[in-house]
């Protein structure tokens, strides 16, 4: 299919498809001598995945990393999309119900409790913890939370300073190759620190590094210690995790 045909089919703009091509997110399998982009069936399947991720709020940069990863599994991704969308649907249904009850309350047709007024709103969950539990199970997260809860305020301040010091140490070498000895030495210190209150396997450690880039808030907090630190840590943590396998 030509780019205009794909755009009309999916109800997105031609410019959006051009942008996806320019950033290497979705490159058509063929470009004619006249410069026309031709999209294959596989291209359309990949576009579907991209749009599912977009619907769930993933940034384009993160989507590119996910779908271009050699370990990316389309079937597994679709099952995850379905699960997340069903949870989103459940929350939206509850919010719609809250709106209906509120309208009736405003018309004087029913009384609404304070609790009912806020049914469907949920800002209490920790997205990082939720993803950690989803990917690696409850034990590592529960162990980490238990150890943190047992610490005194003084210990927590000392622990936070140790975190900051390690970030500063890593920021000093963030322009080095992630595979360099100095980079791996500093990342080892980070691994040891994390495991002083948790139980991070090589898979969990690598996944944690990926989350530093997956969520822009995480990236922003880490990059306060030096621009590009989050990306460097992700790459160095992946190298370190591979080394742990040997």
């Amino acid at each position: 299919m030509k780019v205009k045909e794909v755009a009309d089919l999916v109800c997105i703009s031609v410019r959006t498809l051009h942008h996806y091509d320019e950033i290497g997110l979705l490159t058509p399998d063929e470009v004619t001598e006249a410069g026309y982009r031709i999209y294959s069936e596989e291209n359309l399947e990949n576009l579907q995945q991209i749009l599912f991720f977009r619907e769930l709020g993933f940034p384009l940069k993160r989507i590119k990393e996910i779908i271009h990863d050699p370990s990316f599994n389309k079937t597994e991704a679709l099952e995850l999309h379905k699960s997340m969308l069903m949870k989103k649907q459940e929350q939206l249904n509850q919010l719609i119900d809250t709106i209906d009850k509120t309208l009736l309350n405003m018309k004087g047709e029913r009384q609404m409790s304070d609790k009912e007024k806020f049914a469907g709103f949920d800002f209490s969950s920790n997205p990082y913890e939720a993803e950690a539990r989803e990917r690696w199970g409850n034990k590592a997260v529960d162990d980490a939370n238990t150890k943190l809860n047992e610490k005194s305020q003084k210990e927590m301040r000392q622990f936070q300073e140790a975190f900051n010091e390690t970030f500063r140490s890593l920021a000093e070498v963030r322009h080095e190759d992630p595979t360099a000895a100095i980079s791996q030495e500093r990342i080892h210190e980070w691994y040891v620190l994390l495991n002083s209150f948790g139980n991070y396997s090589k898979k969990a450690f690598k996944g944690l590094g990926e989350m530093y880039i997956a969520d822009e808030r995480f990236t922003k907090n880490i990059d306060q210690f030096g621009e590009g630190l989050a990306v460097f840590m992700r790459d160095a943590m992946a190298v370190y995790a591979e080394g742990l396998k040997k």
Side-chain angles (χ1 to χ4, degrees):
M1 299 179 69
K2 293 182 179 179
V3 64
K4 181 65 167 61
E5 295 172 319
V6 175
D8 290 343
L9 173 68
V10 184
C11 296
I12 58 177
S13 68
V14 170
R15 180 70 194 96
T16 296
L17 289 171
H18 285 176
H19 179 60
Y20 288 175
D21 186 10
E22 290 164 3
I23 65 175
L25 177 61
L26 180 69
T27 303
D29 278 354
E30 182 184 348
V31 178
T32 67
E33 293 182 1
Y36 291 107
R37 294 171 170 86
I38 305 297
Y39 291 82
S40 66
E41 187 65 29
E42 184 177 0
N43 288 149
L44 294 181
E45 291 177 2
N46 289 336
L47 177 58
Q48 184 196 52
Q49 288 283 355
I50 291 167
L51 296 180
F52 274 132
F53 278 116
R54 289 295 288 158
E55 183 66 28
L56 293 167
F58 282 70
L60 294 179
K61 182 178 179 181
R62 179 57 181 147
I63 297 173
K64 180 181 175 181
E65 292 173 348
I66 293 172
I67 67 173
H68 288 176
D69 190 309
S71 64
F72 178 64
N73 184 302
K74 290 183 180 179
T75 301
E76 181 182 347
L78 285 170
E79 290 173 350
L80 181 59
H81 291 322
K82 181 179 178 181
S83 174
M84 295 177 72
L85 286 169
M86 288 178 69
K87 290 177 184 177
K88 184 177 179 180
Q89 181 184 47
E90 183 179 346
Q91 184 190 17
L92 289 174
N93 287 339
Q94 191 170 18
L95 287 170
I96 291 171
D97 184 58
T98 297
I99 290 174
D100 289 339
K101 289 179 180 178
T102 303
L103 288 170
L104 292 174
N105 182 71
M106 292 172 65
K107 295 175 182 177
E109 298 179 13
R110 64 155 292 167
Q111 290 294 319
M112 194 176 190
S113 68
D114 289 338
K115 184 176 181 179
E116 286 179 313
K117 291 176 183 177
F118 301 99
F121 295 103
D122 183 8
F123 305 106
S124 62
S125 62
N126 181 333
Y128 309 128
E129 179 171 325
E131 183 167 349
R133 291 185 185 279
E134 178 72 23
R135 295 178 64 174
W136 308 308
N138 291 332
K139 189 176 187 305
V141 178
D142 288 336
D143 287 349
N145 286 343
T146 298
K147 290 184 179 181
L148 284 175
N149 290 333
E150 291 173 350
K151 291 184 179 294
S152 66
Q153 289 187 349
K154 180 179 179 181
E155 288 174 324
M156 285 299 294
R157 286 195 297 270
Q158 293 173 339
F159 195 72
Q160 184 61 55
E161 180 52 38
F163 257 61
N164 292 342
E165 182 58 35
T166 305
F167 278 129
R168 286 191 286 268
S169 175
L170 284 161
E172 292 174 356
V173 299
R174 69 185 187 279
H175 299 303
E176 299 284 343
D177 189 317
T179 65
I182 186 64
S183 301
Q184 289 301 295
E185 287 174 10
R186 301 288 172 89
I187 280 295
H188 172 71
E189 294 173 3
W190 181 235
Y191 181 75
V192 171
L193 180 59
L194 288 176
N195 276 286
S196 68
F197 74 92
N199 183 21
Y200 287 84
S201 66
K202 55 183 178 291
K203 180 180 179 182
F205 189 60
K206 180 179 179 180
L208 185 65
E210 292 171 352
M211 283 200 291
Y212 293 166
I213 303 302
D215 193 295
E216 294 177 358
R217 292 167 299 178
F218 230 146
T219 306
K220 183 178 179 180
N221 287 335
I222 294 174
D223 280 2
Q224 289 178 355
F225 293 88
E227 186 176 357
L229 178 58
V231 171
F232 168 79
M233 289 185 67
R234 178 203 59 189
D235 295 342
M237 288 166 75
V239 172
Y240 185 84
E242 289 298 319
L244 290 178
K245 294 179 181 180
K246 298 175 182 178

